[in-house]
Amino acid sequence: MTETTEAVSPPGAGPQPGAPAPQPSELDPRRWLALASVMTALFMVLLDVSIVNVAIPAIRSNLAANNADIQFVVAGYGLAYAVLLITGGRLGDIFGRKRLFLLGMSGFVIASALCGLAQSAIMLDLSRVLQGAMAAMMYPQVLSVIQVTFPPQERARVFGFVGAVIGIATITGPLAGGLIIRDDITGGSWRWIFLVNLPIGIAALIAATRLLTESRAPNATRLDVGGVVLATAGILLLVYPLVEGQVAGWPAWTFICMAISPVMLALFILYERSLPSTRFPLVQLSLFRIRSFSVGVAISAVFIAGIPAFFFTFSLMLQVGLGFSALNAGLTTIPWSLASAFASAMSTRVAPRLGKYTIAIGSILLVVGILAIIGTIHLQGTKLSGWDLIPAFLVSGLGLGTVIAPLLNIILAGVPGRDAGSASGVLTTFQQLGGAIGVAVVGVVFFGLLSSRATDAIATVTPQLHAQLAAANVPPAQANVAIAKFTTCFKEQASSSDPTAPIPGCPSASTPAATDPVSVAFANAAQAALGRDFITSVERILFFNVGFWALTGVLSMLLPRARPRPSPGAVHAA
C-alpha cells in the first residue's frame, strides 16, 4: 500500500497548499473493508468504558478489592483515555496514522489480556490504565483515517456508520456485561469481559495491517513535548477531581485542582501561540478559527454531557432502586440502542438536505423522549418495567442517532488533512470532558436529591411497616425503636455515594431471613422506600438532560450553513 502524506480539504475549507487532487478512480477500492476494521476497534474502545460497571460486584468479591481499588478500575481507564487523546492524535499525524492505530490496537489487546488475567486489584488497576492509554493512541486515528481515506461525498455515509457504532457500543455495554456475568458474583466469569477483546482485537489487527493505507501530516517534524506536558497537566487537573470527587466526598484538593486547571490550560494556549511557524504544535490553534470546528466541539461537549449522566442515574434507579438484575437493566436499553443505530444510518440521507437543522431535529426528539421518560416514571412509579419505557426509549434513540453522525461530519468538514489527527484528538477530548463534567454535576445533584427525599420515601412505607410488626406480635415500644433505627439506617444509605454499600451497624436489606417475618417486613420496606426515593429523584434529575439537549439544539443554530455539494467530478478525494 502507498503512503499518503497530504490530504485535500473537504468542501468549504478551501484548497490546501501542496494538496494533491486524485481522481475518484484513484481511491483505494478496499477502503470500505478498512473502515470495518477500524470500526471494530472503535466499538471495543467505547464498550470497555461502560461494560466494566456491571462486573464491579464480581470483581470486588473475587479479588477481595476495597472501594478505592474498585473505583480506580473504572476511573483509571477513563483518566488515561481522556488525558492522552490529544497527544495520541498528534502522534498519528507525525509517525503515521496506520502505525499509531496498529500500536494502539496491539497495546489494547495486551492490556485486555492483563486485565482478564489479573491476580490482584492493583494489577487490574494498572492494566486498566494501560488499556485506557492504548485506547487514546488508537481512537483518534479512526476519525483521522476516515478524514484522509474517504472523499467528501462519502463521508456523510461513513459518519452514519460511526454514529451507529457509537450509539450501540455506549448503550449495550451493560447488556453485554450482564450476559457475561449473569449471577456469578464470586467466580471468575468477570474476566471474560476483558478476554473477549482478544479474538476480536487480533482479527481487527490483522485486517487493519493488510487494508489500511498509511498517512501522515506533511511537514510533521517532532512531537511538541512542552505542549504535551502543559495540556496533559491541565486536563488531568480537571478530569481527575471530577472522576474521584463524588466518591471522595469532594474534599478541598478536588476544588484546588479544578481551580489550577484553567491556569495550566491558559499557559498551554500561550505556549502554543509562542511557537514559531516552523514548529509543529500539539494543537493547531487556527483550527478554532474554523467556525464549524469551534462551535461543533462546544456542541459536542454539551451533547455528550447528557449521555453518561443519563445512563449513570438511570442504571442506578433500575438496579438499586427497583431491583433489576444487570442483565434485565441491559435488556431495557435495547430499544434505545436499536433506534439510535437506525437513525444514525438514516441520517446520511437527511443531513445533506437539512444541514445543521438535522442537529436541531435530533435534539428535539431527545427532549421529547426524555420528557416521555419522566412522564412514564411518574405514572408507573415503583411498578415501572422495561416494557413501559419502550416508546420513550425509541424516540430518545432516534434523537441520539440523528445528532451523532451529522455532528461528527460537520465538525470535521473544514479541517485540513494535515491536522486530522490533532483535530480528532481535540474533538474526542472535549467529548470526554463534557461527559466527565456531566456525570459530576448530575451526580452531585442526584445524590443530594436521594438524601433530601429519604424522609418522604420512608414516610410512604412506615404505616404498612407498623401494621406488619403488629401482626408479628412485636410490642409497640419495641417496634418504635426498631423503626427509628431503620429510618436512621435508610437515611445514611440514601446519603451514601454508593447506595449499594452496607452501612456499618445496619442490617442488610438484600438478604432477609425467609422464616423471620420481622426481617422480611423491614427488607421489603427498605426496598420499597429505596425505589420510591430513586423514582422521585430520577424524575427531577432528568430535567438536566432536557437542558443539555435543548441547549444542543440552540447551539446548532450557530453552525455555518452547509455549502452546496460539488459534483462528483469536481470533488477532490482525500
Side-chain angles (χ1 to χ4, degrees):
M1 301 292 289
T2 58
E3 179 173 312
T4 302
T5 55
E6 295 176 306
V8 177
S9 62
Q16 298 305 315
Q23 297 300 314
S25 60
E26 299 176 20
L27 293 172
D28 185 353
R30 299 188 299 175
R31 63 191 181 279
W32 292 101
L33 292 175
L35 177 67
S37 68
V38 297
M39 286 295 98
T40 302
L42 174 66
F43 183 84
M44 289 170 56
V45 168
L46 296 176
L47 190 72
D48 271 52
V49 174
S50 59
I51 192 173
V52 73
N53 292 321
V54 177
I56 290 302
I59 293 172
R60 186 196 304 270
S61 174
N62 191 242
L63 295 182
N66 58 37
N67 286 339
D69 293 329
I70 288 299
Q71 172 64 14
F72 210 76
V73 170
V74 178
Y77 181 92
L79 283 172
Y81 181 52
V83 166
L84 295 175
L85 277 166
I86 294 178
T87 302
R90 211 41 155 175
L91 285 172
D93 287 339
I94 297 171
F95 296 106
R97 288 129 189 173
K98 176 180 178 179
R99 181 178 299 175
L100 258 292
F101 178 84
L102 296 177
L103 173 65
M105 173 63 87
S106 301
F108 190 86
V109 169
I110 292 171
S112 296
L114 292 174
C115 288
L117 300 174
Q119 299 301 304
S120 65
I122 187 64
M123 180 179 175
L124 180 58
D125 287 342
L126 293 176
S127 299
R128 282 286 284 173
V129 171
L130 177 62
Q131 195 181 36
M134 292 299 101
M137 297 297 106
M138 177 172 52
Y139 186 91
Q141 317 315 324
V142 174
L143 299 181
S144 299
V145 166
I146 291 171
Q147 191 76 349
V148 301
T149 302
F150 289 88
Q153 74 270 25
E154 291 182 347
R155 286 186 199 143
R157 183 181 176 191
V158 173
F159 281 119
F161 293 143
V162 173
V165 170
I166 290 174
I168 293 173
T170 302
I171 297 168
T172 56
L175 173 60
L179 287 170
I180 292 172
I181 296 297
R182 293 293 180 100
D183 298 320
D184 184 14
I185 298 301
T186 59
S189 63
W190 63 267
R191 298 180 184 277
W192 287 101
I193 281 179
F194 303 109
L195 295 177
V196 74
N197 288 335
L198 272 63
I200 300 172
I202 291 172
L205 190 61
I206 294 172
T209 301
R210 297 176 60 86
L211 297 171
L212 285 185
T213 300
E214 184 61 282
S215 67
R216 66 184 72 205
N219 305 319
T221 53
R222 57 189 177 85
L223 185 64
D224 173 16
V225 177
V228 169
V229 172
L230 290 172
T232 300
I235 296 170
L236 182 62
L237 286 168
L238 177 60
V239 175
Y240 184 70
L242 287 174
V243 171
E244 293 288 327
Q246 182 67 50
V247 175
W250 298 105
W253 65 263
T254 59
F255 296 100
I256 294 172
C257 288
M258 287 188 286
I260 297 173
S261 174
V263 177
M264 296 299 295
L265 293 175
L267 289 174
F268 166 71
I269 294 173
L270 292 174
Y271 174 80
E272 295 292 285
R273 284 182 174 176
S274 70
L275 293 178
S277 58
T278 55
R279 291 284 297 274
F280 196 66
L282 182 67
V283 174
Q284 186 61 259
L285 296 179
S286 61
L287 287 172
F288 290 94
R289 291 199 290 270
I290 302 171
R291 187 176 172 188
S292 59
F293 184 82
S294 58
V295 175
V297 293
I299 294 174
S300 185
V302 173
F303 173 68
I304 294 295
I307 298 176
F310 172 83
F311 287 103
F312 169 66
T313 54
F314 209 81
S315 295
L316 277 177
M317 182 193 76
L318 292 180
Q319 295 186 61
V320 179
L322 301 182
F324 282 36
S325 68
L327 179 58
N328 193 11
L331 290 170
T332 301
T333 64
I334 284 181
W336 185 309
S337 181
L338 293 177
S340 176
F342 173 78
S344 293
M346 293 302 295
S347 68
T348 62
R349 300 182 180 182
V350 177
R353 294 192 294 270
L354 298 180
K356 65 182 181 181
Y357 298 105
T358 311
I359 311 299
I361 292 171
S363 300
I364 291 171
L365 286 172
L366 271 168
V367 168
V368 171
I370 295 301
L371 290 175
I373 292 172
I374 293 172
T376 302
I377 292 173
H378 183 75
L379 290 174
Q380 298 297 326
T382 55
K383 297 179 181 179
L384 182 74
S385 72
W387 297 102
D388 299 322
L389 293 165
I390 288 177
F393 270 21
L394 285 174
V395 175
S396 301
L398 290 173
L400 185 72
T402 303
V403 172
I404 287 181
L407 183 58
L408 287 173
N409 198 21
I410 288 170
I411 293 172
L412 297 176
V415 173
R418 64 174 180 267
D419 294 315
S422 177
S424 300
V426 170
L427 167 61
T428 315
T429 300
F430 267 80
Q431 292 174 338
Q432 289 300 303
L433 292 176
I437 292 171
V439 169
V441 171
V442 169
V444 169
V445 179
F446 178 64
F447 287 114
L449 284 170
L450 284 177
S451 177
S452 65
R453 303 195 63 81
T455 301
D456 293 339
I458 281 289
T460 62
V461 301
T462 300
Q464 183 178 1
L465 187 56
H466 272 292
Q468 290 175 328
L469 293 180
N473 298 317
V474 177
Q478 184 178 341
N480 290 334
V481 171
I483 290 176
K485 183 178 181 181
F486 166 75
T487 301
T488 301
C489 287
F490 182 84
K491 289 180 179 178
E492 288 186 25
Q493 184 180 18
S495 301
S496 171
S497 60
D498 180 8
T500 64
I503 302 299
C506 296
S508 172
S510 59
T511 55
T515 57
D516 181 3
V518 174
S519 296
V520 171
F522 277 111
N524 291 338
Q527 188 60 56
L530 200 61
R532 172 54 54 187
D533 198 8
F534 268 91
I535 284 287
T536 56
S537 298
V538 167
E539 264 188 67
R540 288 155 179 77
I541 206 66
L542 287 183
F543 283 101
F544 272 85
N545 289 87
V546 172
F548 285 136
W549 291 327
L551 182 57
T552 297
V554 171
L555 291 176
S556 70
M557 294 298 99
L558 300 177
L559 289 166
R561 288 182 177 272
R563 299 191 181 187
R565 178 185 291 178
S567 62
V571 172
H572 290 175

